[in-house]
Amino acid sequence: MSTSRQGNPVEVMREHGPELRREGRERLPAEGDGFDEFMETRVTDVLTGNPGYDVAVVGEEGTEEIEGESPDYVVLVDPVDGSSAAYNDGRGFCTTGLAVLDDIEITENGVSGRPIGSYVIQLGGRGTELSSWRGEPQIDGEVRFTDVSPEDDVPGTVEGTRIGPAQIESLEDLGPERGFAAVYAAKEGRSEVDECFLGPLSEENPDLRKDVWGGSMNDARVGYGANIVAGEPIPTRATEIAGDTFAQAMGAVSRDVYGEENEVVYVAMRDGEPAKTFNSVVTPNKEVMEDVMNTVDVGGLERAFPEYFETYNEVT
């Protein structure tokens, strides 16, 4: 796919994201009024029709819009990540996010591509804006450095984090004040994720703070040290990779629960919506990732959610 023309979807969202946030905030709390669909339509409107590129948009609410015969990028849109936070006015972890794929390949099951860009903005809270393009991350419009020595903090972390991710070398290094392990699961999966994923981590280090909550913002927080472990240990829609992509741009590591690198993302539509083809664990570095992979009960997750893992393994 050609990328010779100027402009990209992340640049466009950096320009229009604050305006979209204002529109979204006006509708919060938003249960039952088509809020997710409204935000997805608005994001799609902003991304399409740009003279700098052609794009294919895949949205969590079912959007499939393709410009041109050979789009420059595929953009995966999660218009409202953390819907329950939006509905209950707990807006800090309610975000709008997207990830941009390049090196697109058409497969018999859908499309695949490599994540090269991300954009996440809080609909509530302070409206923090996290983004990245081809490995260069920005927080609220300021370029951040990813090469952090064990003696240094990540510069200017958005939540006053006192430690940098590179300072954590294993789960044993963690105490109550040193970051969360927080992974996402829908209501029907919370107990299984606690038993098979977070529980074993707590046995490894009883001081580890943990919870089943989050989404894109939680994944992104690994990039600047606020979380130590995050992700989607149960397969989920590929539209939910924005925070993961940002964290990697900040130097974090992403694997699926089998330990395979998340270098390529697979997208498939089933019954009018994205299938559950993405699975992730995000940690600050390879050392912590190795600890996690040696600790969690992947077999237990597979037994609890056989259909999800069947789809994930079939497509990927």
Side-chain angles (χ1 to χ4, degrees), residues 39-275:
M39 291 299 295
E40 184 160 300
T41 298
R42 291 293 295 116
V43 172
T44 302
D45 289 344
V46 165
L47 291 172
T48 53
N50 188 292
Y53 59 81
D54 285 336
V55 66
V57 177
V58 177
E60 183 152 321
E61 301 304 314
T63 296
E64 288 184 89
E65 186 159 335
I66 302 174
E67 296 183 316
E69 296 182 358
S70 181
D72 299 283
Y73 310 109
V74 170
V75 182
L76 307 178
V77 177
D78 190 352
V80 184
D81 186 57
S83 296
S84 61
Y87 299 161
N88 296 303
D89 213 22
R91 304 177 192 174
F93 280 84
C94 173
T95 64
T96 292
L98 61 82
V100 184
L101 307 184
D102 198 1
D103 295 333
I104 307 302
E105 292 187 9
I106 307 298
T107 71
E108 62 180 11
N109 292 310
V111 299
S112 66
R114 295 181 180 275
I116 60 167
S118 64
Y119 182 88
V120 178
I121 189 167
Q122 285 180 308
L123 294 180
R126 295 186 297 179
T128 297
E129 182 186 69
L130 310 172
S131 64
S132 64
W133 184 251
R134 296 193 183 277
E136 181 180 272
Q138 293 187 16
I139 299 177
D140 291 333
E142 180 180 345
V143 175
R144 301 293 161 148
F145 302 99
T146 57
D147 296 327
V148 183
S149 75
E151 292 77 30
D152 295 332
D153 289 341
V154 176
T157 55
V158 300
E159 296 172 344
T161 310
R162 294 186 297 276
I163 59 171
Q167 293 176 263
I168 304 299
E169 296 182 355
S170 76
L171 294 176
E172 295 179 355
D173 292 341
L174 297 173
E177 75 287 357
R178 305 193 74 181
F180 261 102
V183 294
Y184 178 75
K187 290 181 180 179
E188 69 271 15
R190 293 176 65 88
S191 61
E192 290 83 357
V193 165
D194 196 23
E195 177 183 351
C196 299
F197 193 96
L198 293 174
L201 297 182
S202 293
E203 292 178 6
E204 188 78 9
N205 181 348
D207 289 330
L208 182 68
R209 295 187 297 163
K210 65 181 180 69
D211 206 341
V212 184
W213 61 301
S216 287
M217 197 66 187
N218 251 348
D219 297 346
R221 282 159 56 95
V222 177
Y224 52 84
N227 285 347
I228 302 306
V229 181
E232 307 273 353
I234 301 172
T236 189
R237 299 177 181 92
T239 49
E240 301 191 20
I241 73 170
D244 181 293
T245 303
F246 171 81
Q248 290 191 71
M250 288 287 285
V253 177
S254 174
R255 303 278 191 271
D256 68 10
V257 293
Y258 302 108
E260 299 295 325
E261 295 185 11
N262 279 325
E263 294 182 328
V264 176
V265 173
Y266 297 86
V267 186
M269 299 296 287
R270 298 286 189 274
D271 300 322
E273 63 181 30

